[in-house]
């Protein structure tokens, strides 16, 4: 027991001694840091470039770390990004021998106490021209100064929306000295590209790289060269949001337009459907126009909307024309022979269009099919034969009535009272001829109207499939752009 208590006391004493030594060392370092600070900045000026020879170039190493993309305003063409900007250079007047200061090799001081390069973002698009954030700098014994400063930058970016929402953008961030030329301050890339190791993934954009290129530009105002470093941010848009909210609804709505040709002409909703679909697409077109910049390049989805709206406008116009054909009455001319052959004989079979009122599922379809075969062979002579038969029937009826009239008049010709019967027969013949002509005209007009209705129905089916194919290929084209 005595040994254990003695051992515990020794350990506690050792820990206490270590803490006292560390505190003494820290106090010693703090003492030397204050002494060093006072000696370094006694005659120091942060207004002049810290070089011993004014003809010597001061090299500034620049490194950009992209932390987050805060916003990409396509309409105003402004990129808002959160950056970490690291600059490092050597100050010829801030050096010391670390052995004289108990091995103190670095100190951290406010950045406004030392000279700083006036490196700014050339393509800045912000109204705020405030000073950089006054974070501390790390000062080493060999005069190297490292300054890490966070910044939220708004830079101008030329946005090309030709393939929206499957587009890629390239935004430049150009950094350079505002007053020092290349003979005074030279900028060196720390890395071949921006640092993306700490990038926070964005919900709308994918980062495909951030290469850095050094440029030396001579402006018209000055003969000296001005170096700058341009970081190109390569962005790829995530199109899932726009596909499900803008593209798919438009595709589904556009497939409703051909169905307007399938509606019965007597329903009164054919034109209303086309106008409703056109208004719906107009709303989506306005939504796209609100987020796009006013440029000459029409986005891909905008072209799709315009093409679909043009197609729906054409389908509505064709629907109106076909409805006029459908409602052709007895005053209309007969169906031309070429339309009878092409539309009624061939196209009606291709698109499975039957006569008005005909039921293709009727149990008497076989008998009707046989009659149709006979009618198909005799279609061209039907009208002539019906006309001749009608005339023959009228002649037979007229001969019978005339025979009866002559017989009656011959038998009773001498009787004056019987003379009235002859005139009654003549009036009866005229009435029967009038009724027969009316029935014949009614059948002819009805057959003419039925033929025009069938022509309209065939044309409806024809344009329905044509527009279905057009919508399908247009949808496949825009989906293929996404692949």
């Amino acid at each position: 027991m005595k040994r254990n208590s003695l051992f515990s006391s020794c350990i506690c004493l050792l820990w206490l001694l270590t803490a006292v030594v560390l505190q003494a060392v820290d106090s010693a370092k703090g003492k030397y840091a204050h002494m060093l600070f006072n000696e370094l900045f006694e005659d120091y000026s942060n207004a002049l470039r810290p070089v011993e020879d004014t003809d010597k170039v001061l090299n500034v190493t620049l490194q950009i770390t992209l932390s987050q993309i805060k916003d990409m305003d396509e309409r105003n063409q402004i990129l808002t990004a959160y950056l970490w900007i690291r600059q490092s250079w050597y100050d010829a007047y801030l050096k010391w021998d670390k052995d004289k200061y108990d091995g103190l090799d670095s100190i951290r001081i406010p950045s406004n106490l030392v000279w700083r390069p006036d490196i700014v973002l050339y393509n800045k698009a912000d109204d705020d021209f405030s000073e950089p954030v006054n974070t501390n700098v790390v000062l080493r014994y060999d005069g190297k100064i490292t300054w890490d400063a966070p910044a939220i930058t708004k830079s101008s970016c030329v946005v090309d929306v030709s393939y929206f929402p499957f587009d890629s953008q390239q935004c430049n961030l150009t950094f350079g000295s505002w007053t020092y030329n290349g003979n005074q301050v030279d900028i060196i890339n720390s890395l071949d590209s921006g640092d993306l190791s700490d990038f926070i993934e964005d919900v709308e954009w994918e980062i495909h790289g951030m290469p850095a290129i050094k440029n030396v530009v001579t402006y018209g105002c000055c003969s000296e060269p001005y170096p700058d470093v341009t970081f190109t941010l390569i962005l790829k848009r995530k199109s899932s949001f726009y596909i499900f909210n803008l593209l798919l609804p438009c595709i589904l709505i556009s497939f409703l337009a051909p169905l307007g040709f399938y509606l019965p002409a007597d329903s009164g909703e054919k034109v209303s459907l086309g106008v409703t679909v056109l208004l719906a697409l107009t709303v989506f077109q306005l939504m796209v126009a609100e987020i796009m910049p006013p440029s000459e390049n029409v986005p891909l989805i905008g072209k799709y909307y315009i093409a679909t709206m043009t197609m729906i406008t054409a389908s509505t116009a064709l629907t109106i024309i076909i409805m006029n054909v459908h409602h052709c009455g007895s005053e209309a001319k007969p169906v031309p022979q070429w339309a009878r052959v092409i539309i009624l004989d061939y196209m009606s079979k291709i698109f499975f269009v039957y006569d008005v009122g005909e039921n293709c599922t009727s149990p008497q379809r076989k008998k009707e099919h046989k009659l149709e075969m006979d009618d198909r062979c005799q279609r061209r002579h039907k009208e002539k034969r019906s006309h001749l038969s009608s005339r023959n029937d009228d002649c037979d009826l007229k001969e019978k009535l005339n025979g009866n009239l002559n017989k009656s008049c011959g038998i009773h010709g001498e009787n004056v009272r019987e003379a009235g019967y002859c005139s009654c027969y003549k009036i009866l013949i005229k009435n029967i001829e009038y009724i027969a002509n009316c029935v014949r005209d009614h059948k002819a007009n009805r057959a003419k109207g039925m033929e025009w209705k069938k022509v309209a129905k065939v044309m409806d089916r024809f344009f329905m499939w044509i527009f279905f194919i057009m919508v399908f290929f247009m949808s496949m084209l825009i989906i293929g752009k996404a692949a």
Side-chain angles (χ1 to χ4, degrees):
M1 294 293 293
K2 292 182 178 179
R3 291 180 179 178
N4 291 336
S5 61
L6 182 61
F7 182 72
S8 300
S9 300
C10 291
I11 292 177
C12 293
L13 189 60
L14 181 61
W15 276 108
L16 183 60
L17 182 61
T18 302
V20 171
V21 171
L22 290 176
Q23 185 177 4
V25 171
D26 290 340
S27 62
K29 285 186 175 294
K31 179 181 178 180
Y32 283 111
H34 282 83
M35 185 186 306
L36 175 62
F37 179 80
N38 293 330
E39 292 181 1
L40 288 176
F41 291 94
E42 183 177 0
D43 296 324
Y44 181 80
S45 174
N46 61 359
L48 300 177
R49 193 165 54 97
V51 290
E52 296 178 350
D53 186 1
T54 55
D55 294 333
K56 186 178 181 181
V57 178
L58 179 62
N59 296 323
V60 177
T61 303
L62 180 66
Q63 178 181 341
I64 301 296
T65 300
L66 178 63
S67 178
Q68 184 182 5
I69 295 177
K70 297 183 69 66
D71 184 39
M72 180 64 169
D73 189 355
E74 292 94 345
R75 188 170 186 81
N76 296 318
Q77 304 192 49
I78 295 177
L79 172 66
T80 305
Y82 180 47
L83 307 177
W84 298 343
I85 303 175
R86 167 171 288 189
Q87 305 175 54
S88 60
W89 65 94
Y90 285 90
D91 195 316
Y93 301 108
L94 298 178
K95 299 179 180 179
W96 71 90
D97 187 1
K98 61 180 180 179
D99 295 333
K100 293 183 180 180
Y101 297 93
D102 196 25
L104 184 63
D105 59 352
S106 64
I107 58 174
R108 287 164 174 79
I109 57 176
S111 59
N112 58 352
L113 297 179
V114 300
W115 177 90
R116 295 177 303 185
D118 58 344
I119 294 179
V120 296
L121 180 62
Y122 280 177
N123 57 331
K124 189 175 182 180
D126 193 4
D127 295 335
D128 185 14
F129 287 93
S130 59
E131 293 289 331
V133 180
N134 289 324
T135 56
N136 289 341
V137 298
V138 179
L139 177 60
R140 290 177 54 85
Y141 68 94
D142 56 354
K144 182 179 180 180
I145 298 177
T146 303
W147 182 26
D148 291 325
I152 297 178
T153 61
K154 290 186 177 182
S155 58
S156 60
C157 177
V158 179
V159 179
D160 184 11
V161 294
S162 300
Y163 293 96
F164 175 85
F166 312 109
D167 55 329
S168 298
Q169 305 296 335
Q170 293 186 1
C171 297
N172 295 329
L173 299 172
T174 303
F175 293 90
S177 176
W178 191 252
T179 57
Y180 294 105
N181 57 50
N183 299 325
Q184 297 170 329
V185 173
D186 190 18
I187 304 176
I188 301 174
N189 297 342
S190 176
L191 300 172
D192 293 336
S193 63
D195 187 6
L196 301 176
S197 58
D198 296 321
F199 178 72
I200 301 173
E201 186 176 357
D202 190 71
V203 295
E204 186 178 0
W205 298 95
E206 296 177 356
I207 304 298
H208 287 187
M210 193 178 178
I213 299 176
K214 181 180 178 180
N215 305 303
V216 179
V217 182
T218 302
Y219 297 99
C221 64
C222 313
S223 60
E224 298 85 0
Y226 283 85
D228 62 66
V229 177
T230 300
F231 295 87
T232 303
L233 189 59
I234 302 175
L235 304 174
K236 179 71 171 67
R237 190 189 301 272
K238 298 178 181 179
S239 57
S240 300
F241 173 81
Y242 299 98
I243 289 176
F244 286 101
N245 290 277
L246 292 179
L247 188 57
L248 282 183
C250 175
I251 293 176
L252 296 177
I253 291 174
S254 62
F255 271 101
L256 290 177
L259 292 178
F261 292 105
Y262 195 75
L263 280 175
D266 296 328
S267 65
E269 299 294 333
K270 293 172 71 71
V271 178
S272 300
L273 178 62
V275 174
T276 303
V277 173
L278 187 62
L279 291 176
L281 289 178
T282 304
V283 172
F284 282 102
Q285 174 69 18
L286 292 175
M287 292 174 60
V288 174
E290 287 180 356
I291 61 177
M292 292 292 99
S295 64
E296 295 182 356
N297 296 328
V298 180
L300 181 64
I301 191 172
K303 295 178 181 178
Y304 178 74
Y305 283 159
I306 293 173
T308 307
M309 292 168 66
T310 304
M311 183 191 66
I312 294 173
T313 303
S315 68
T316 306
L318 289 172
T319 299
I320 295 174
I321 296 174
I322 293 173
M323 286 184 66
N324 283 314
V325 174
H326 176 83
H327 291 287
C328 285
S330 59
E331 296 82 5
K333 296 181 180 179
V335 177
Q337 186 63 29
W338 64 268
R340 192 185 303 276
V341 175
I342 297 176
I343 299 177
L344 297 181
D345 289 346
Y346 294 101
M347 293 180 63
S348 62
K349 300 172 188 176
I350 296 174
F351 297 107
F352 303 100
V353 177
Y354 305 99
D355 291 334
V356 178
E358 182 182 1
N359 187 3
C360 61
T361 60
S362 174
Q364 299 180 354
R365 181 61 184 168
K366 294 182 180 179
K367 295 181 179 180
E368 293 174 358
H369 180 69
K370 184 177 180 180
L371 294 175
E372 287 177 2
M373 294 294 293
D374 296 337
D375 183 69
R376 187 181 302 113
C377 297
Q378 301 177 0
R379 182 181 293 275
R380 296 182 180 179
H381 306 285
K382 185 177 179 180
E383 293 182 356
K384 294 182 179 180
R385 292 178 59 187
S386 61
H387 182 66
L388 292 175
S389 64
S390 298
R391 293 182 61 183
N392 291 332
D393 292 341
D394 294 341
C395 292
D396 293 339
L397 180 61
K398 189 182 295 184
E399 288 177 359
K400 290 180 180 180
L401 292 174
N402 290 331
N404 293 330
L405 179 62
N406 294 330
K407 184 178 179 180
S408 176
C409 291
I411 295 174
H412 306 285
E414 297 176 357
N415 194 345
V416 179
R417 290 183 301 175
E418 300 296 333
Y421 291 102
C422 295
S423 61
C424 291
Y425 276 112
K426 292 180 180 180
I427 295 173
L428 181 60
I429 291 173
K430 291 181 180 180
N431 292 335
I432 292 174
E433 288 180 352
Y434 176 76
I435 294 173
N437 291 332
C438 290
V439 172
R440 185 167 54 252
D441 293 340
H442 177 71
K443 289 183 178 179
N445 292 333
R446 186 173 181 274
K448 187 192 305 181
M450 298 295 277
E451 285 184 343
W452 280 116
K453 288 183 178 180
K454 189 174 182 180
V455 169
K457 193 173 182 180
V458 173
M459 297 308 297
D460 268 338
R461 295 291 176 86
F462 171 73
F463 286 116
M464 182 187 72
W465 288 110
I466 291 295
F467 279 90
F468 262 129
I469 294 172
M470 291 175 60
V471 171
F472 176 77
F473 277 106
M474 287 169 56
S475 303
M476 290 298 102
L477 179 64
I478 193 170
I479 292 175
K481 294 290 185 179

